[in-house]
Amino acid sequence: MQISDLPYPDPGVPDARSGPRFLLWLGRGQLGGQLKSLCWGMLHFGGVAGLPYAVGLGVDAVVDRDGHRLLLVGALLILVGIAIALGDTMLHRTAVTNWITAAARVQQLLARKTAELGSALTRRVAAGEVVAVSTGDVEKIGWFVEAVSRFLAAVFSVVLVCVGLLFYAPELGVVVAVGVPVVALASLPLLPRATKRADVQREKAGKATELASDTVAGLRVLRGIGGEELFLGRYREASQEVRKASVHSARMWALISALQVLLPGALMITVVWYGATLALDGQIAVGELVAAFSAVATLLYPLRHFEEIAMAYSFSRPSAKRAARVLSLTRTGGTRMPDAADAAEPPAPGGDLYDPLTGLLAPAGRFTAVVCGDPDLAGRLAERLGGHAPDEDEDKDKEAGAEAAPSVLLGGVALDELALDAARRLVLVQDKDPVLLSGTLRELFDVPASGAVDPEAALDAAQCADVLDAVLQSAPEGVEDAMDARITERGRSLSGGQRQRLALARSLVTDPEVLVLDEPTSAVDSHTEARIADGVARLREGRTTVVLASSPLLLDRADRVVLVDGGTVAAVGTHHELLQREPRYRAVVTRETDEEQRLSGLGLTKLEEALTEIEESA
């Protein structure tokens, strides 16, 4: 795999059962790249390991005044230098390729999972954690994948030096062969504590990132209530906790680094002292002493990779765990998504939308309004109708052994059994906080659609004329068409009602089989809301539309109104019918208090008694 071949046509199906398994899956997917990196690393470290012996042979040749042998040693040094330079260059290239390839694969997997889950992702995983996984965690995972091949090559060179010294200078070789494993493994007892401190630091950093993300997202509200300083103080406290945790973690890694310097230095002193004693006694030649000293000095370089692989794994393991947790989520909350080969056939057009869990039925081709007293229940119901992941409570029920909630049916076919692209094409859910990406309005409406609804008709139905005027007025000179004007990220330059209407128009352009709208007019005034209700009903005539709302203006335009109370359907009828006969519905729509409901009930009772007396007297 070359960098130019990225992105992958298909990043594959990851093993997301745990962090180590995910790292192993990534490594198996890059065996070719790892093998290349290992071969170049062995060439590089082999040259490094051979350098001390060449130097020792050169010293012996000088002592023996053998010019021919000295020339051969010179040629050998040239070859060793070429091996070191070439191996180092290519090792760096292949290792960086492995890093970028692994990072790109993880980012593709995360992007695919984000597209699959949609808005349900941030309900099940904190927004700060999603940001951390897609940025810093990807980098740490790539670091470990890159370091593996260099570590294996370093192990090869260490073994080569030790074995070579055993044959070249057995007396010193035994000392080195015993001392090197001690040096390499001395920091292992400290790794669990260092890893624990690093985990604490990353956890605090994730919370600080989440706090910063929430503060930026709600900056306009904070300014309106004067809460900037309060949240700024909270972020300062969180960042100071991150700083303290980082210093606490760095101290342990500094101790490990100090051991990696101290112990090899002690080994080198031991070898020099013992070798000098042997050389004075005539048991070894001067060249052997120089070779042993050079070998131990050379080992400092590959031994650094032992520390690096320990750090890389310690940092990447929790990162891989978080990535695996996100990648293991499914929109059904349980089994995997069906592949194209085993997915159910999409239902025929014109089927009813039915939720077995709540008993909600949205007849095909009709405008159905759903009233929920609990806004959170309305949001979860909207996600269910779109075939997205269940809420956290349902996940807990599954962990406790309870059966999974039944899937929503469209035309008798379970949405969970459809391929994701088919389910998204049939049912579109617009939540109460839709996102507008930066770009021109023309790009905003460039979405998968049936082609039956053009942007102009959708904008008109959503009452966006004033929005177009506002966008055009703020556009740079030379922009004459509002569709070519740009909007900022998340539409921050627009008001809440303007963003809401643009998002509604975008949803209308897609013209899905079933359109589910969660409070689509909560940020607009009543006059605009009435016109939007008429426009949506007119544009979606003959198509299934479900609106979760409690506004009488929307409910009055619906063909069918459903009251959901306590998680199940409590009443069905028209808006006026439910107002007259259903106190719970009236309480939600008119915002009546319990006392007002009681008085209203008494008034109706007295009115009925009076009518009865009139009828009897007549």
mmCIF file of all heavy atoms in Angstrom, residues 6 56 125 163 166 178 181 224 231 239 270 305 379 415 427 451 456 460 534 560 579 605 610:
data_model
loop_
_atom_site.group_PDB
_atom_site.id
_atom_site.type_symbol
_atom_site.label_atom_id
_atom_site.label_comp_id
_atom_site.label_asym_id
_atom_site.label_seq_id
_atom_site.Cartn_x
_atom_site.Cartn_y
_atom_site.Cartn_z
ATOM 1 N N LEU A 6 -4.279 5.877 -0.988
ATOM 2 C CA LEU A 6 -5.304 6.209 0.001
ATOM 3 C C LEU A 6 -6.294 7.205 -0.580
ATOM 4 O O LEU A 6 -5.936 8.008 -1.428
ATOM 5 C CB LEU A 6 -4.646 6.787 1.257
ATOM 6 C CG LEU A 6 -3.714 5.843 2.020
ATOM 7 C CD1 LEU A 6 -3.010 6.584 3.147
ATOM 8 C CD2 LEU A 6 -4.468 4.638 2.554
ATOM 9 N N GLY A 56 36.782 -2.531 15.535
ATOM 10 C CA GLY A 56 37.732 -3.412 16.243
ATOM 11 C C GLY A 56 38.720 -4.057 15.297
ATOM 12 O O GLY A 56 39.926 -4.145 15.600
ATOM 13 N N VAL A 125 -22.203 8.481 22.821
ATOM 14 C CA VAL A 125 -20.811 8.781 23.148
ATOM 15 C C VAL A 125 -20.694 10.294 23.289
ATOM 16 O O VAL A 125 -21.236 11.035 22.468
ATOM 17 C CB VAL A 125 -19.850 8.273 22.051
ATOM 18 C CG1 VAL A 125 -18.405 8.578 22.433
ATOM 19 C CG2 VAL A 125 -20.030 6.780 21.819
ATOM 20 N N VAL A 163 25.244 -11.731 20.268
ATOM 21 C CA VAL A 163 25.763 -12.993 19.717
ATOM 22 C C VAL A 163 27.142 -12.771 19.100
ATOM 23 O O VAL A 163 28.065 -13.590 19.263
ATOM 24 C CB VAL A 163 24.779 -13.569 18.689
ATOM 25 C CG1 VAL A 163 25.384 -14.783 17.984
ATOM 26 C CG2 VAL A 163 23.474 -13.956 19.367
ATOM 27 N N LEU A 166 29.766 -12.611 21.761
ATOM 28 C CA LEU A 166 30.048 -13.923 22.344
ATOM 29 C C LEU A 166 31.071 -14.690 21.519
ATOM 30 O O LEU A 166 31.887 -15.477 22.077
ATOM 31 C CB LEU A 166 28.756 -14.729 22.473
ATOM 32 C CG LEU A 166 27.786 -14.306 23.580
ATOM 33 C CD1 LEU A 166 26.483 -15.087 23.495
ATOM 34 C CD2 LEU A 166 28.425 -14.508 24.956
ATOM 35 N N VAL A 178 24.403 -10.730 29.481
ATOM 36 C CA VAL A 178 23.647 -10.747 30.731
ATOM 37 C C VAL A 178 23.100 -9.358 31.050
ATOM 38 O O VAL A 178 21.961 -9.196 31.532
ATOM 39 C CB VAL A 178 24.532 -11.252 31.888
ATOM 40 C CG1 VAL A 178 23.808 -11.094 33.222
ATOM 41 C CG2 VAL A 178 24.910 -12.698 31.667
ATOM 42 N N PRO A 181 19.668 -7.678 28.634
ATOM 43 C CA PRO A 181 18.276 -7.948 29.021
ATOM 44 C C PRO A 181 17.858 -7.212 30.295
ATOM 45 O O PRO A 181 16.710 -6.771 30.421
ATOM 46 C CB PRO A 181 18.256 -9.461 29.229
ATOM 47 C CG PRO A 181 19.373 -9.982 28.391
ATOM 48 C CD PRO A 181 20.443 -8.931 28.481
ATOM 49 N N GLY A 224 -25.865 35.762 25.837
ATOM 50 C CA GLY A 224 -27.172 36.347 26.125
ATOM 51 C C GLY A 224 -27.476 36.394 27.607
ATOM 52 O O GLY A 224 -28.147 37.308 28.078
ATOM 53 N N PHE A 231 -18.336 29.916 32.528
ATOM 54 C CA PHE A 231 -17.826 28.758 31.802
ATOM 55 C C PHE A 231 -16.333 28.880 31.541
ATOM 56 O O PHE A 231 -15.625 27.877 31.479
ATOM 57 C CB PHE A 231 -18.595 28.593 30.486
ATOM 58 C CG PHE A 231 -19.849 27.810 30.642
ATOM 59 C CD1 PHE A 231 -20.996 28.392 31.157
ATOM 60 C CD2 PHE A 231 -19.907 26.477 30.284
ATOM 61 C CE1 PHE A 231 -22.165 27.671 31.323
ATOM 62 C CE2 PHE A 231 -21.063 25.745 30.443
ATOM 63 C CZ PHE A 231 -22.199 26.340 30.957
ATOM 64 N N SER A 239 -8.565 22.839 32.672
ATOM 65 C CA SER A 239 -7.255 22.848 32.022
ATOM 66 C C SER A 239 -6.125 22.744 33.043
ATOM 67 O O SER A 239 -5.090 22.121 32.773
ATOM 68 C CB SER A 239 -7.094 24.120 31.182
ATOM 69 O OG SER A 239 -7.153 25.280 31.997
ATOM 70 N N THR A 270 30.970 -0.849 33.287
ATOM 71 C CA THR A 270 31.365 -2.201 33.695
ATOM 72 C C THR A 270 32.176 -2.886 32.615
ATOM 73 O O THR A 270 33.214 -3.535 32.895
ATOM 74 C CB THR A 270 30.107 -3.028 34.018
ATOM 75 O OG1 THR A 270 29.361 -2.379 35.047
ATOM 76 C CG2 THR A 270 30.475 -4.423 34.465
ATOM 77 N N HIS A 305 14.491 2.246 21.386
ATOM 78 C CA HIS A 305 13.244 1.786 20.769
ATOM 79 C C HIS A 305 12.454 0.871 21.700
ATOM 80 O O HIS A 305 11.249 0.690 21.512
ATOM 81 C CB HIS A 305 13.548 1.086 19.450
ATOM 82 C CG HIS A 305 14.052 2.010 18.386
ATOM 83 N ND1 HIS A 305 15.358 2.456 18.352
ATOM 84 C CD2 HIS A 305 13.426 2.592 17.332
ATOM 85 C CE1 HIS A 305 15.529 3.254 17.313
ATOM 86 N NE2 HIS A 305 14.370 3.365 16.693
ATOM 87 N N GLY A 379 -37.721 13.013 20.906
ATOM 88 C CA GLY A 379 -36.466 12.848 20.186
ATOM 89 C C GLY A 379 -36.117 11.390 19.990
ATOM 90 O O GLY A 379 -35.680 10.977 18.903
ATOM 91 N N LEU A 415 -37.106 -1.891 9.399
ATOM 92 C CA LEU A 415 -36.043 -0.992 8.943
ATOM 93 C C LEU A 415 -34.663 -1.521 9.320
ATOM 94 O O LEU A 415 -33.681 -1.292 8.614
ATOM 95 C CB LEU A 415 -36.239 0.402 9.542
ATOM 96 C CG LEU A 415 -37.421 1.222 9.020
ATOM 97 C CD1 LEU A 415 -37.471 2.575 9.717
ATOM 98 C CD2 LEU A 415 -37.320 1.412 7.513
ATOM 99 N N VAL A 427 -36.537 6.674 4.605
ATOM 100 C CA VAL A 427 -36.983 7.440 5.769
ATOM 101 C C VAL A 427 -35.914 8.472 6.109
ATOM 102 O O VAL A 427 -34.751 8.127 6.299
ATOM 103 C CB VAL A 427 -37.229 6.529 6.983
ATOM 104 C CG1 VAL A 427 -37.743 7.358 8.163
ATOM 105 C CG2 VAL A 427 -38.209 5.427 6.637
ATOM 106 N N GLY A 451 -35.582 14.173 -6.986
ATOM 107 C CA GLY A 451 -35.673 15.074 -8.134
ATOM 108 C C GLY A 451 -37.061 15.631 -8.357
ATOM 109 O O GLY A 451 -37.258 16.486 -9.222
ATOM 110 N N GLU A 456 -36.259 25.684 -5.162
ATOM 111 C CA GLU A 456 -37.118 26.869 -5.089
ATOM 112 C C GLU A 456 -38.445 26.544 -4.416
ATOM 113 O O GLU A 456 -38.929 27.296 -3.557
ATOM 114 C CB GLU A 456 -37.361 27.429 -6.491
ATOM 115 C CG GLU A 456 -36.151 28.094 -7.121
ATOM 116 C CD GLU A 456 -35.123 27.095 -7.607
ATOM 117 O OE1 GLU A 456 -35.464 25.879 -7.692
ATOM 118 O OE2 GLU A 456 -33.974 27.490 -7.883
ATOM 119 N N ASP A 460 -39.710 27.930 -0.776
ATOM 120 C CA ASP A 460 -40.986 28.636 -0.674
ATOM 121 C C ASP A 460 -41.878 27.993 0.381
ATOM 122 O O ASP A 460 -42.526 28.687 1.171
ATOM 123 C CB ASP A 460 -41.674 28.627 -2.042
ATOM 124 C CG ASP A 460 -43.011 29.358 -1.997
ATOM 125 O OD1 ASP A 460 -43.018 30.576 -1.729
ATOM 126 O OD2 ASP A 460 -44.052 28.709 -2.214
ATOM 127 N N ASP A 534 -48.872 25.104 6.207
ATOM 128 C CA ASP A 534 -49.604 24.991 4.940
ATOM 129 C C ASP A 534 -48.672 24.565 3.808
ATOM 130 O O ASP A 534 -49.033 23.725 2.970
ATOM 131 C CB ASP A 534 -50.255 26.330 4.598
ATOM 132 C CG ASP A 534 -51.410 26.653 5.538
ATOM 133 O OD1 ASP A 534 -51.999 25.700 6.083
ATOM 134 O OD2 ASP A 534 -51.698 27.850 5.736
ATOM 135 N N ARG A 560 -54.083 13.516 10.840
ATOM 136 C CA ARG A 560 -54.251 12.567 11.940
ATOM 137 C C ARG A 560 -53.305 12.976 13.066
ATOM 138 O O ARG A 560 -52.142 13.249 12.832
ATOM 139 C CB ARG A 560 -53.916 11.161 11.434
ATOM 140 C CG ARG A 560 -54.287 10.004 12.337
ATOM 141 C CD ARG A 560 -54.097 8.713 11.527
ATOM 142 N NE ARG A 560 -54.557 7.549 12.258
ATOM 143 C CZ ARG A 560 -53.745 6.753 12.957
ATOM 144 N NH1 ARG A 560 -52.450 7.034 13.016
ATOM 145 N NH2 ARG A 560 -54.222 5.685 13.576
ATOM 146 N N LEU A 579 -58.816 17.784 21.540
ATOM 147 C CA LEU A 579 -58.959 18.899 22.466
ATOM 148 C C LEU A 579 -60.218 18.760 23.313
ATOM 149 O O LEU A 579 -60.242 19.102 24.506
ATOM 150 C CB LEU A 579 -58.996 20.227 21.702
ATOM 151 C CG LEU A 579 -57.669 20.889 21.341
ATOM 152 C CD1 LEU A 579 -57.909 22.165 20.554
ATOM 153 C CD2 LEU A 579 -56.839 21.184 22.583
ATOM 154 N N THR A 605 -68.339 19.718 33.236
ATOM 155 C CA THR A 605 -69.363 18.912 33.900
ATOM 156 C C THR A 605 -70.629 19.740 34.145
ATOM 157 O O THR A 605 -71.745 19.289 33.903
ATOM 158 C CB THR A 605 -68.812 18.370 35.232
ATOM 159 O OG1 THR A 605 -67.668 17.593 34.966
ATOM 160 C CG2 THR A 605 -69.870 17.521 35.939
ATOM 161 N N ALA A 610 -76.229 21.424 32.758
ATOM 162 C CA ALA A 610 -77.177 22.462 32.340
ATOM 163 C C ALA A 610 -77.856 22.075 31.050
ATOM 164 O O ALA A 610 -79.082 22.255 30.879
ATOM 165 C CB ALA A 610 -76.441 23.800 32.189
#
